[in-house]
Amino acid sequence: MPDSSKSNPFRFTLRVYWEDTDAGGVVFYANYLKFFERARTEWLRSFGFAQETLRLDEKLIFMVTETSLRYLAPARLDDELAVTVEVRHAGRATLDLAQQAWRRHVGRNAEQLLAEGTVRIACVDAGTYRPRRIPNFLAQALAR
Amino acid sequence: MPDSSKSNPFRFTLRVYWEDTDAGGVVFYANYLKFFERARTEWLRSFGFAQETLRLDEKLIFMVTETSLRYLAPARLDDELAVTVEVRHAGRATLDLAQQAWRRHVGRNAEQLLAEGTVRIACVDAGTYRPRRIPNFLAQALAR
Amino acid sequence: MPDSSKSNPFRFTLRVYWEDTDAGGVVFYANYLKFFERARTEWLRSFGFAQETLRLDEKLIFMVTETSLRYLAPARLDDELAVTVEVRHAGRATLDLAQQAWRRHVGRNAEQLLAEGTVRIACVDAGTYRPRRIPNFLAQALAR
Amino acid sequence: MPDSSKSNPFRFTLRVYWEDTDAGGVVFYANYLKFFERARTEWLRSFGFAQETLRLDEKLIFMVTETSLRYLAPARLDDELAVTVEVRHAGRATLDLAQQAWRRHVGRNAEQLLAEGTVRIACVDAGTYRPRRIPNFLAQALAR
């Protein structure tokens, strides 16, 4: 029986614009971190959590503490990308997320994996930036 | 009789992410130029014109030669913006576009104008960057 | 007798890196706003004013409220640019600054003007973002 | 006897500007990749190699294929950072570089490590983007 939770990670689609490219004619590699961030933001929103609300109401910020990416193939202007988010490991105060960026299927071309990696985010107090436990309501929702 | 062409400019919506903000807690003003660019790209696409295709097939690039913007009110993380595009003046080789960025209606709050301005784009040869006449098929489509 | 105040505006030099370019092979036009900002920051610092200190000690932020730029010639990777700052008009709560970006002289090539324009910055309260008068010590220093 | 080659890595200094920060009040983590890139560019230039010249004369581009970073402490507006570059491993067609970003000593405060990690760059043909051997003149210079 297939594990549907693994085969269907959260997907966020975006378009490549001029601002994302560099003089090599392709997406500047640092911008994949932005794409991954957008996907994580929409992934949280898909559970009903807006980061600005979490900051104001729960005094909670998710900070990125580690990123590890491999850049496999270039994306170009006008490409449509799909960025995935999956929980790899959920700790008391941190989450390890696996993320991938795919060029979406166009015409006869299959989807192509462009970049992938892991991002660790830590739950911190919005005032002191000290680590704090991920609230139960969040941990339970994200673990589903 | 209402002028429907003016009352219904092209609208492109986008979300404000961490990457767009600065230490003032609001969207970094230079990023409105990126938002305006995304809207122009999707405005062209709404007529069936992808810029990468125009570059490869027609050897044509639209270059930004002038921008004039006023920043009226701040946008914040998670805000949803609508960016408009309207042709103000169509020349032989240039287009003057009027653009606005609005914070979209949320709850009881009305839409709010955040930034507005004009952008001049010039049609240039993709190889030499020399000005060239906007092709008829483009000029006619965009003038509709 | 030459007007030395006009002939010697403040100059800040910077290098063009990959991050500044786009798929056209040149500096992305929106990035001139970043270059102009860096030059204004160093111009303020040349008078002894660090913006973070002004924010914390004087509860004062300079906000950009208008930008008007013309992009005349492209800058490329590895180019060294000089960005100038001159006070065009000093109001009670705003400053209008004229700024230019030049490609610096290399080998036999003369300096070339790449972009120019005006930027209006407004003095606002760091908490409320309400306009406030530019403090005398600042106004007097910048007017020199 | 101390190993001076390790104790004195290449150092590049830069200033934190508004463009580098996010709504958390600190440098946006993705921007450390830009800072690391600037340092690598100046590290190559310190050996006499400008990337634009390598691309045009040697048909050679260094592409980033992997990045792995840890973000340890936040940098803020006006901070002055020092970014280091050291060769960790030199392969036939790739270089693994260790890089760190430090907040420079100000007043009584010691230098503080803000971010560190490794970046793999691959030598590729400027036309085909195929991997190619790092030319001897480059390999020998960088190995010193």
Side-chain angles (χ1 to χ4, degrees):
Chain A
M1 209 173 81
D3 179 347
S4 66
S5 68
K6 287 209 66 172
S7 57
N8 290 307
F10 177 82
R11 283 168 72 93
F12 170 70
T13 61
L14 60 90
R15 181 77 73 171
V16 174
Y17 295 109
W18 279 101
E19 67 190 83
D20 304 312
T21 60
D22 70 18
V26 300
V27 167
F28 184 57
Y29 62 94
N31 290 336
Y32 286 98
L33 285 184
K34 297 185 179 180
F35 298 164
F36 281 21
E37 166 103 49
R38 294 183 203 172
R40 290 194 306 276
T41 296
E42 297 303 336
W43 170 72
L44 281 173
R45 200 189 315 280
S46 75
F47 292 104
F49 307 129
Q51 290 184 71
E52 189 67 359
T53 311
L54 288 175
R55 186 176 70 82
L56 295 173
D57 294 357
E58 305 288 334
K59 316 292 179 222
L60 171 164
I61 291 179
F62 280 113
M63 275 187 59
V64 172
T65 59
E66 289 186 46
T67 58
S68 187
L69 269 73
R70 292 193 308 142
Y71 311 95
L72 307 169
R76 294 173 191 281
L77 200 61
D78 286 336
D79 279 351
E80 208 176 355
L81 308 189
V83 182
T84 63
V85 185
E86 283 182 289
V87 177
R88 176 71 56 90
H89 175 76
R92 282 170 53 100
T94 60
L95 287 174
D96 290 333
L97 304 169
Q99 298 199 249
Q100 296 181 320
W102 295 79
R103 181 188 293 111
R104 294 189 73 189
H105 172 83
V106 178
R108 268 179 264 173
N109 300 314
E111 285 215 329
Q112 187 181 10
L113 182 59
L114 304 179
E116 64 176 353
T118 56
V119 176
R120 172 169 287 183
I121 57 176
C123 187
V124 302
D125 183 275
T128 63
Y129 285 84
R130 289 254 177 92
R132 49 174 277 192
R133 191 173 182 155
I134 299 171
N136 278 337
F137 74 93
L138 261 171
Q140 286 167 6
L142 302 179
R144 267 179 304 190
Chain B
M1 208 173 81
D3 179 348
S4 66
S5 67
K6 288 210 63 173
S7 56
N8 290 307
F10 177 83
R11 281 169 73 95
F12 170 71
T13 61
L14 60 91
R15 181 76 71 170
V16 173
Y17 296 109
W18 280 100
E19 68 191 84
D20 304 312
T21 60
D22 70 18
V26 300
V27 167
F28 184 56
Y29 62 94
N31 290 337
Y32 286 98
L33 284 183
K34 296 184 179 180
F35 298 165
F36 281 21
E37 166 103 48
R38 294 182 202 173
R40 290 194 306 276
T41 296
E42 297 303 337
W43 169 73
L44 281 173
R45 200 188 315 279
S46 74
F47 292 103
F49 306 129
Q51 289 185 72
E52 190 67 358
T53 311
L54 287 176
R55 186 176 70 82
L56 295 174
D57 294 356
E58 306 288 333
K59 316 292 179 221
L60 171 164
I61 291 178
F62 280 113
M63 274 186 60
V64 172
T65 59
E66 289 186 45
T67 58
S68 187
L69 268 73
R70 291 194 308 142
Y71 312 94
L72 307 168
R76 293 174 192 281
L77 200 60
D78 286 336
D79 279 351
E80 208 176 356
L81 308 190
V83 182
T84 63
V85 185
E86 283 182 290
V87 177
R88 177 71 54 90
H89 175 75
R92 282 170 54 102
T94 60
L95 288 175
D96 290 333
L97 304 169
Q99 297 199 250
Q100 295 181 320
W102 294 79
R103 182 188 294 111
R104 295 188 74 188
H105 171 84
V106 178
R108 270 180 263 172
N109 300 313
E111 285 216 328
Q112 187 179 10
L113 182 59
L114 305 179
E116 64 176 352
T118 56
V119 175
R120 171 170 288 183
I121 56 176
C123 186
V124 302
D125 184 275
T128 64
Y129 285 83
R130 289 255 177 91
R132 49 174 278 192
R133 191 172 181 155
I134 298 171
N136 277 337
F137 75 92
L138 261 171
Q140 286 168 7
L142 302 179
R144 268 180 302 190
Chain C
M1 209 173 81
D3 179 347
S4 66
S5 68
K6 288 209 63 173
S7 56
N8 290 307
F10 177 82
R11 282 168 74 94
F12 170 71
T13 61
L14 61 90
R15 181 76 71 170
V16 173
Y17 296 110
W18 280 100
E19 67 190 84
D20 305 312
T21 60
D22 70 17
V26 300
V27 166
F28 184 57
Y29 61 94
N31 290 336
Y32 286 99
L33 285 184
K34 296 185 178 178
F35 297 165
F36 281 22
E37 167 102 48
R38 295 183 203 172
R40 289 195 307 276
T41 296
E42 297 303 335
W43 169 72
L44 281 173
R45 201 189 314 279
S46 74
F47 292 103
F49 306 129
Q51 289 184 73
E52 190 67 358
T53 311
L54 288 175
R55 186 176 70 82
L56 295 174
D57 294 357
E58 305 288 333
K59 316 292 178 221
L60 172 164
I61 291 179
F62 280 113
M63 275 187 59
V64 172
T65 59
E66 289 186 45
T67 58
S68 188
L69 269 72
R70 292 193 308 142
Y71 312 94
L72 307 168
R76 294 172 191 281
L77 199 61
D78 286 336
D79 279 351
E80 208 176 355
L81 308 190
V83 181
T84 64
V85 185
E86 283 182 289
V87 177
R88 176 69 57 89
H89 175 76
R92 282 169 53 100
T94 60
L95 288 174
D96 290 333
L97 304 168
Q99 298 199 250
Q100 295 182 320
W102 295 79
R103 182 188 293 111
R104 293 189 74 188
H105 172 83
V106 178
R108 271 180 261 172
N109 300 313
E111 285 216 328
Q112 187 180 10
L113 183 59
L114 305 179
E116 65 176 352
T118 56
V119 176
R120 172 170 287 184
I121 57 177
C123 186
V124 302
D125 184 275
T128 63
Y129 285 84
R130 289 253 177 94
R132 50 173 277 192
R133 189 172 182 155
I134 299 171
N136 277 338
F137 75 92
L138 261 172
Q140 285 167 7
L142 302 179
R144 267 180 303 189
Chain D
M1 208 173 81
D3 179 347
S4 67
S5 69
K6 287 209 66 173
S7 57
N8 290 307
F10 178 82
R11 281 169 73 93
F12 171 70
T13 61
L14 60 92
R15 180 78 71 171
V16 174
Y17 295 111
W18 280 101
E19 68 191 83
D20 304 312
T21 60
D22 70 18
V26 300
V27 166
F28 184 57
Y29 62 94
N31 290 336
Y32 286 99
L33 284 184
K34 296 185 179 181
F35 298 165
F36 281 21
E37 166 102 51
R38 295 182 202 172
R40 290 194 306 276
T41 296
E42 298 303 337
W43 169 72
L44 281 173
R45 200 189 314 281
S46 74
F47 293 104
F49 306 128
Q51 289 184 74
E52 190 66 0
T53 310
L54 289 176
R55 187 176 68 82
L56 295 174
D57 294 357
E58 305 289 332
K59 315 293 179 221
L60 171 164
I61 291 178
F62 280 113
M63 276 187 58
V64 173
T65 59
E66 289 187 45
T67 58
S68 187
L69 269 73
R70 291 193 308 143
Y71 312 94
L72 307 169
R76 293 173 191 282
L77 200 60
D78 286 336
D79 279 351
E80 207 176 356
L81 307 189
V83 182
T84 63
V85 185
E86 284 183 289
V87 177
R88 176 70 57 89
H89 175 76
R92 281 171 54 101
T94 60
L95 288 173
D96 289 334
L97 303 168
Q99 298 200 248
Q100 294 182 321
W102 294 79
R103 182 188 293 110
R104 293 189 74 188
H105 171 83
V106 178
R108 270 180 263 172
N109 300 313
E111 285 216 329
Q112 188 181 9
L113 182 59
L114 304 178
E116 64 177 352
T118 55
V119 176
R120 172 170 288 183
I121 56 176
C123 186
V124 302
D125 183 275
T128 64
Y129 285 83
R130 290 253 177 92
R132 50 174 277 193
R133 190 172 183 156
I134 299 172
N136 278 337
F137 75 93
L138 262 171
Q140 286 167 6
L142 301 180
R144 268 180 303 191

